């Protein structure tokens, strides 16, 4: 039985896991870099261990230091959160080899689904719709050109081990492809240590729809509906919502069944997300995230399930608490990522928060590790808080979100709050008429 959980992460997700553990009666261990000594997750944990300097590679990515922290504090499980080592199969293997419980999927599933080319092949073999493209990595520019000509331009090159837009290049003709191929390979090699790239047909105006899945050690897998993630900039999500204004009940069921089918084919356990592109009534597998997502609160709000507590229970060998059979999403929820960045240039803006007053009221939730006088370090992601809004309908949720964003006071650093308020005033967003290219034509 799990009794003490070490959280191998920082910020709001580390605090989120600690709070879930407290409700389950479990002890917690916070690890932190020298830059995070004054973080809330350190204050709220039962034990804390400094694991290195500010740089991630010397602290939050230092596997030996994290394992040592677990051993000296008597932790028997590790929750990786999101980012950092959360999708590192070698880390999950080492955790298991040290007789600790890894709160997440198996190393085999992480490794298989973390390689985008292999994940695409796995989805294809499982009968899940995929975007036309190469069968695995393309080894030469000539091979990429042949595939592109067979499926038709435009196409997109993607890093096989990538994410976050790195190693991606959109190509409209042979010349574009010739010029982009080596650049994409070099960028993928620098970012991920693997230079493999594969090629897909580029959809002009798709929506980014993801399905939340959960599996237990008894072989049961469920779908918890979709999240609309199309409002994004440079492949980084800004606003997520559930349900999607573009997905009807039959399509939701089809996408859920496809996601479950893929998970069954790899024996998936714990929380995961299957990401699809959706256009003209058709959906196509894009990739799988083998971890809890930043936007998991959106699903929590429309399903009533605590995703993090469920992760811990499943890792402890308990069956899923979700009921058998279909269930309907309740109401509507949106999440707004409040980042410490310039709302116009998007440049990071770390520094000291002089005033911090989060909004409240019905249907308003704020997940954050920030507070007045907290200093946002320049070494990590710029996320300050996640504002999650829930109401009975999409229009009511938008109205409530406008009110909450007006009430959200953060002084001392620039934030993305003005950007979110402007997006909510855009008629296309209000109508639900948008794609992943929304921000390209967005005017403030």
């Amino acid at each position: 039985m799990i009794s003490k959980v070490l959280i191998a992460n920082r910020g709001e997700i580390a605090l989120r896991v600690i709070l879930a553990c407290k409700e389950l009666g479990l002890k917690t261990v916070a690890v932190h870099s020298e830059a995070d000594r004054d973080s809330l997750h350190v204050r709220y944990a039962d034990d804390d261990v400094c694991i290195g300097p500010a740089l991630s590679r010397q602290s939050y990515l230092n596997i030996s230091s994290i394992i040592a922290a677990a051993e000296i504090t008597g932790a028997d499980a590790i929750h990786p959160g999101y980012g950092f080592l959360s999708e590192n199969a070698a880390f999950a293997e080492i955790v298991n080899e040290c007789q600790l419980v890894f709160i997440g999927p198996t190393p085999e599933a992480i490794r298989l689904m973390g390689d985008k080319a292999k994940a695409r092949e796995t989805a294809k073999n499982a009968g899940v719709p995929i975007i036309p493209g190469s069968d695995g990595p393309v080894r030469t520019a000539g091979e990429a050109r042949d595939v592109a000509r067979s499926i038709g331009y435009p196409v997109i090159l993607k890093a096989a081990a990538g994410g976050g837009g790195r190693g991606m290049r959109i190509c409209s003709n042979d010349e574009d492809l010739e010029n982009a191929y080596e650049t994409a390979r070099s960028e993928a090699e620098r970012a991920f240590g693997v230079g493999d790239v594969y090629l897909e047909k580029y959809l002009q105006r798709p929506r980014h729809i993801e399905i939340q899945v959960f599996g237990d050690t008894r072989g049961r897998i469920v779908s918890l509906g979709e999240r609309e993630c199309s409002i994004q900039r440079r492949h980084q999500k800004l606003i997520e919502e559930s349900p999607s204004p573009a997905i009807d009940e039959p399509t939701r069921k089809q996408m859920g069944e496809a996601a479950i089918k893929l998970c069954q084919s790899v024996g998936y356990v714990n929380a995961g997300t299957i990401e699809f592109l959706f256009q003209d009534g058709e959906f196509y597998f894009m990739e799988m995230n083998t971890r809890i997502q930043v936007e998991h609160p959106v699903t929590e709000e429309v399903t009533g399930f605590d995703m993090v507590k469920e992760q811990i229970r499943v890792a402890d060998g308990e069956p899923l608490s979700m009921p058998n059979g279909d269930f309907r999403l309740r109401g509507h929820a949106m999440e707004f990522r409040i980042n410490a960045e310039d709302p116009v240039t998007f440049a990071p803006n770390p520094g000291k928060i002089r005033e911090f007053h989060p909004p409240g009221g019905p249907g308003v939730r704020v997940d954050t590790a920030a507070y007045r006088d907290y200093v946002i370090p320049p070494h990590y992601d710029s996320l300050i808080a996640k504002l999650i809004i829930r109401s009975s309908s999409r229009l009511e949720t938008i109205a409530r979100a406008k009110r909450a964003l007006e009430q959200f006071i953060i002084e001392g650093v620039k934030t993305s709050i003005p950007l979110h308020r402007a997006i909510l005033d855009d008629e296309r967003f209000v109508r639900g008429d948008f794609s992943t290219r929304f921000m390209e034509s967005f005017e403030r």
Side-chain angles (χ1 to χ4, degrees):
M1 296 286 290
I2 294 174
S3 61
K4 195 171 191 178
V5 178
L6 181 145
I7 300 91
N9 217 294
R10 64 177 301 278
E12 70 85 17
I13 187 59
L15 185 58
R16 170 76 179 85
V17 177
I18 289 170
L19 298 180
C21 289
K22 285 184 178 294
E23 291 187 18
L24 291 171
L26 305 177
K27 297 292 185 180
T28 55
V29 180
V31 295
H32 63 90
S33 69
E34 292 174 355
D36 277 337
R37 289 186 184 278
D38 296 324
S39 294
L40 281 186
H41 79 284
V42 177
R43 296 188 189 184
Y44 279 95
D46 296 291
D47 285 321
D48 63 271
V49 180
C50 182
I51 54 172
L55 292 180
S56 297
R57 66 175 179 272
Q58 297 177 331
S59 52
Y60 297 108
L61 294 175
N62 190 327
I63 295 176
S64 59
S65 293
I66 292 171
I67 297 298
E71 291 177 346
I72 64 175
T73 57
D76 48 21
I78 293 180
H79 194 301
Y82 53 70
F84 294 127
L85 295 168
S86 62
E87 293 183 282
N88 187 309
F91 177 56
E93 284 178 333
I94 292 170
V95 170
N96 292 340
E97 288 169 0
C98 292
Q99 305 302 305
L100 300 168
V101 176
F102 182 76
I103 302 176
T106 64
E108 295 78 17
I110 296 173
R111 183 171 288 112
L112 176 61
M113 302 313 291
D115 184 313
K116 291 188 178 182
K118 290 181 180 177
R120 173 185 164 87
E121 182 181 356
T122 302
K124 181 180 179 181
N125 293 338
V128 178
I130 62 171
I131 303 171
S134 61
D135 293 324
V138 284
R139 302 301 180 185
T140 66
E143 183 184 345
R145 184 185 62 243
D146 290 342
V147 174
R149 289 177 176 177
S150 69
I151 64 176
Y153 286 100
V155 297
I156 183 168
L157 285 167
K158 292 184 177 181
R166 289 171 293 183
M168 284 188 181
R169 291 294 184 279
I170 299 168
C171 308
S172 300
N173 50 51
D174 286 353
E175 184 178 356
D176 286 351
L177 192 58
E178 291 280 352
N179 294 334
Y181 179 77
E182 288 302 333
T183 303
R185 282 183 56 84
S186 297
E187 187 175 317
E189 178 70 37
R190 289 195 304 272
F192 310 109
V194 179
D196 288 348
V197 295
Y198 66 104
L199 186 145
E200 286 181 346
K201 178 75 174 176
Y202 179 65
L203 301 180
Q204 303 273 22
R205 286 183 54 81
R207 300 179 84 110
H208 184 155
I209 308 293
E210 59 187 30
I211 299 292
Q212 177 70 58
V213 291
F214 228 113
D216 62 21
T217 55
R218 319 290 177 90
R220 182 165 172 248
I221 299 171
V222 299
S223 163
L224 297 178
E226 85 279 2
R227 293 186 291 259
E228 168 77 66
C229 303
S230 298
I231 305 299
Q232 51 187 258
R233 175 187 169 274
R234 295 181 181 174
H235 306 285
Q236 299 295 321
K237 300 165 187 172
L238 298 172
I239 300 173
E240 299 95 351
E241 63 180 297
S242 182
S244 165
I247 303 299
D248 57 21
E249 193 59 39
T251 305
R252 178 174 299 114
K253 185 175 181 180
Q254 291 174 16
M255 296 181 79
E257 290 173 347
I260 290 173
K261 190 186 303 182
L262 176 56
C263 290
Q264 289 173 334
S265 73
V266 297
Y268 196 81
V269 174
N270 219 279
T273 299
I274 313 293
E275 302 199 350
F276 293 99
L277 290 179
F278 178 80
Q279 182 174 292
D280 301 325
E282 302 292 333
F283 61 89
Y284 308 93
F285 171 79
M286 183 168 56
E287 63 182 359
M288 182 174 189
N289 297 126
T290 53
R291 54 172 167 78
I292 196 79
Q293 294 278 89
V294 177
E295 60 271 23
H296 75 272
V298 172
T299 297
E300 291 182 328
E301 293 300 316
V302 294
T303 62
F305 296 118
D306 187 315
M307 305 287 291
V308 177
K309 282 164 56 171
E310 198 75 11
Q311 279 192 294
I312 297 168
R313 292 193 189 103
V314 165
D316 212 15
E318 295 185 26
L320 287 173
S321 65
M322 293 82 169
N324 287 311
D326 295 334
F327 63 93
R328 291 190 176 275
L329 304 179
R330 300 179 300 178
H332 200 97
M334 290 184 179
E335 177 180 290
F336 301 84
R337 301 192 188 192
I338 311 301
N339 297 321
E341 62 185 24
D342 188 296
V344 177
T345 66
F346 301 102
N349 191 239
K352 185 175 183 178
I353 297 176
R354 294 197 308 269
E355 293 290 343
F356 187 79
H357 297 287
V364 176
R365 166 181 168 182
V366 179
D367 284 14
T368 184
Y371 55 89
R372 182 180 178 179
D373 293 333
Y374 173 66
V375 177
I376 301 169
H379 316 288
Y380 315 113
D381 185 87
S382 63
L383 183 69
I384 300 174
K386 300 185 308 194
L387 173 64
I388 304 102
I389 306 295
R390 181 183 182 275
S391 192
S392 59
S393 69
R394 187 170 188 271
L395 289 180
E396 275 194 9
T397 301
I398 290 173
R400 183 167 286 172
K402 287 183 177 181
R403 184 264 296 171
L405 286 165
E406 288 175 1
Q407 285 186 301
F408 209 148
I409 299 174
I410 303 176
E411 296 180 357
V413 296
K414 295 180 180 179
T415 77
S416 55
I417 289 176
L419 174 63
H420 289 305
R421 293 177 64 180
I423 291 173
L424 290 182
D425 285 335
D426 191 294
E427 282 301 317
R428 295 171 301 164
F429 179 82
V430 175
R431 292 195 308 269
D433 179 20
F434 50 80
S435 71
T436 56
R437 305 188 70 175
F438 174 84
M439 293 301 295
E440 295 176 16
S441 60
F442 178 66
E443 296 182 3
R444 278 163 283 186

